[in-house]
Amino acid sequence: MAQRLAAWTQRTKRSALQDMLELTSGPEYISFGLGLPSTECFPAEQLAISAGEVLLRQSDPLQYGPPTERLKRQIQLLMSERGVTCSTSQIFLTAGAQQGISLLARLLLDPGKTILTEEVTYTGFLQAVEPYQPRILTVPTDPVMGIDVEQAEKVLQTGERPACMYVIPSGHNPLSYTLSREKRQRLAQLAADYEVPIIEDDPYGFLAYEDSEIPAVKSFQPDWVYYVGSFSKILAPGLRLGWIVAGGEIVEKLSIVKEAADINTRTLTQQITANFLQKDEFTEHLQHLRQEYRSRRNSMIDHLYTQMGDYASWTTPSSGLFIWVRFPESVDTMELFRESIATEKVTFFPGNIFAVNESQMAASSVRLNFSFNNHDKIEEGITRLSRLVNRHRK
């Protein structure tokens, strides 16, 4: 039977994310691995009230239906906070950001086409493009400064015209950096100058922990940047709800591609979310979320500094859910991971999981999630991790 499957499936492997879900389901584990939002911070009661109001008002949400215009209007307001001006006709609803990335990949890629991305990037994007067996061009990236825009321009100056460029400018997954305004402007200009569309993956754009937020890349170039947003990190992943902001022609093509995938995004989820977003409680919820995650971020950094500050390094993320921790090059973090599972019961993602090609920077680094665990679990987890690292010091 395997011989009858598409050729690309012979080379594909299960996602490390899925393996992690199964591996760390026991209560004895402390997970810093998966990018999970805090269960304690889900607005469950408010969403339950919204669900009741929606279902008591009408039965249409239980039926197939077109995209909810009311939700699009709320997303339009949210996008203005990211500096993006758009009409509701430019907003396309998806079953989460991952589906948005997958739909855009299907729309932009022919088999064997070229794509451009960072040398260390989100594995979900690589999974989305894998069926098309693309030729992947990479540019250097840095946990502090982010993608090397000058190198990206040099690639384009050679005559390469990738089908798309993929970036995560805010709270980068996994490197945790937030790209400067200047670099965002330059990326947007490159997209327009060389007519290479950018997929801007922005699930963490509303989770900024500093006083000022940097506008989305799309705010600088409305035509050549396709913005992908999600409610998974700011409301709840169980809603499976996200969106794309693109031009009208692109939205029309997306609707055709999505119909073949799942017909339409859950009508009930759309209505419940739209109902909740219209209330003041959403603004209060988002403010609380930022405060709580900022506090958890600070807690993890404090414990890292106290217990490993003389051996490891990191940058305090100004947005997102992760801290990228760098160890000396002699440290093999895949080996650390295997030992941690067996002895300390702390999970994290070794950096090389995210490396498109061989990367020493990734091989000696780890990605830690700070949003999922409370302060006590963070302290206990970092204590266990420090105990493990101390056994490997040279």
Side-chain angles (χ1 to χ4, degrees):
M1 179 59 71
Q3 294 176 350
R4 295 178 178 270
L5 299 178
W8 71 270
T9 66
Q10 310 301 318
R11 295 179 290 274
T12 193
K13 298 179 181 179
R14 271 173 56 91
S15 163
L17 300 174
Q18 294 301 321
D19 289 338
M20 180 73 77
L21 276 172
E22 293 185 5
L23 187 62
T24 63
S25 58
E28 71 274 22
Y29 287 95
I30 295 178
S31 176
F32 294 145
L34 296 171
L36 300 178
S38 169
T39 306
E40 302 159 359
C41 293
F42 293 157
E45 183 177 348
Q46 296 95 321
L47 288 172
I49 293 171
S50 285
E53 291 171 348
V54 166
L55 289 170
L56 288 174
R57 186 168 57 237
Q58 54 186 337
S59 60
D60 288 353
L62 298 177
Q63 184 59 276
Y64 291 114
T68 305
E69 192 66 22
R70 189 160 63 122
L71 177 57
K72 287 186 176 184
R73 288 196 295 270
Q74 293 301 314
I75 292 173
Q76 184 182 30
L77 294 174
L78 282 175
M79 290 308 303
S80 67
E81 297 182 22
R82 302 293 296 121
V84 176
T85 300
C86 61
S87 65
T88 57
S89 64
Q90 294 173 306
I91 297 170
F92 184 81
L93 302 180
T94 65
Q98 184 64 38
Q99 186 186 58
I101 295 169
S102 297
L103 293 177
L104 285 170
R106 185 173 176 184
L107 206 63
L108 295 171
L109 289 178
D110 287 318
K113 286 293 186 179
T114 301
I115 59 175
L116 181 62
T117 188
E118 296 164 85
E119 61 185 354
V120 178
T121 193
Y122 171 52
T123 57
F125 171 70
L126 300 177
Q127 286 180 302
V129 302
E130 186 178 14
Y132 309 97
Q133 294 294 284
R135 173 171 164 256
I136 303 178
L137 301 176
T138 61
V139 293
T141 191
D142 181 83
V144 179
M145 302 303 295
I147 183 172
D148 190 329
V149 180
E150 289 186 1
Q151 286 299 316
E153 183 171 15
K154 287 180 180 179
V155 170
L156 298 176
Q157 286 174 341
T158 66
E160 292 281 2
R161 289 298 177 269
C164 65
M165 185 190 313
Y166 175 75
V167 297
I168 316 166
S170 296
H172 185 278
N173 180 8
L175 297 178
S176 79
Y177 71 77
T178 291
L179 205 62
S180 69
R181 174 187 288 264
E182 292 73 24
K183 282 197 169 187
R184 294 177 192 230
Q185 287 177 310
R186 187 63 192 137
L187 277 175
Q189 191 62 51
L190 288 179
D193 290 347
Y194 292 94
E195 298 186 347
V196 174
I198 289 177
I199 298 177
E200 179 181 11
D201 191 5
D202 196 41
Y204 315 110
F206 294 96
L207 294 176
Y209 308 123
E210 309 304 331
D211 292 335
S212 60
E213 296 181 18
I214 304 176
V217 176
K218 187 169 181 62
S219 70
F220 302 108
Q221 174 44 249
D223 297 326
W224 287 96
V225 179
Y226 305 146
Y227 179 98
V228 179
S230 175
F231 288 108
S232 292
K233 302 304 188 290
I234 59 175
L235 282 182
L239 293 171
R240 304 312 307 136
L241 188 59
W243 69 93
I244 296 170
V245 182
E249 181 182 355
I250 300 299
V251 167
E252 181 181 352
K253 298 294 185 183
L254 283 169
S255 66
I256 297 171
V257 174
K258 180 171 169 60
E259 185 178 6
D262 64 357
I263 302 179
N264 69 339
T265 300
R266 297 174 181 89
T267 311
L268 179 59
T269 295
Q270 293 182 50
Q271 294 281 13
I272 292 171
T273 304
N275 194 62
F276 178 54
L277 291 177
Q278 287 182 313
K279 302 180 179 183
D280 293 338
E281 285 92 336
F282 172 69
T283 301
E284 296 169 2
H285 162 73
L286 196 52
Q287 290 174 345
H288 168 71
L289 204 59
R290 289 167 175 161
Q291 291 170 359
E292 181 60 29
Y293 287 172
R294 182 189 297 113
S295 178
R296 296 185 184 199
R297 176 203 66 178
N298 293 345
S299 177
M300 181 172 281
I301 286 175
D302 287 344
H303 292 300
L304 282 169
Y305 179 79
T306 300
Q307 302 191 51
M308 287 184 277
D310 63 334
Y311 192 65
S313 61
W314 56 85
T315 300
T316 300
S318 60
S319 59
L321 306 180
F322 307 107
I323 298 174
W324 182 258
V325 180
R326 307 181 294 281
F327 295 104
E329 289 188 359
S330 59
V331 176
D332 181 348
T333 55
M334 184 61 77
E335 181 182 344
L336 279 185
F337 170 74
R338 286 191 287 263
E339 184 177 335
S340 183
I341 294 297
T343 63
E344 300 296 345
K345 300 294 189 292
V346 176
T347 64
F348 52 83
F349 271 3
N352 61 2
I353 287 177
F354 305 96
V356 180
N357 304 307
E358 295 293 328
S359 168
Q360 181 56 52
M361 180 265 287
S364 57
S365 301
V366 300
R367 189 196 76 175
L368 302 180
N369 165 263
F370 59 79
S371 59
F372 180 63
N373 294 290
N374 61 30
H375 293 272
D376 290 341
K377 283 287 185 70
I378 288 173
E379 180 179 9
E380 174 62 22
I382 296 300
T383 299
R384 295 186 195 181
L385 185 59
S386 174
R387 194 160 57 214
L388 170 69
V389 169
N390 284 335
R391 296 199 293 268
H392 286 258
R393 290 199 187 208
K394 296 179 180 179

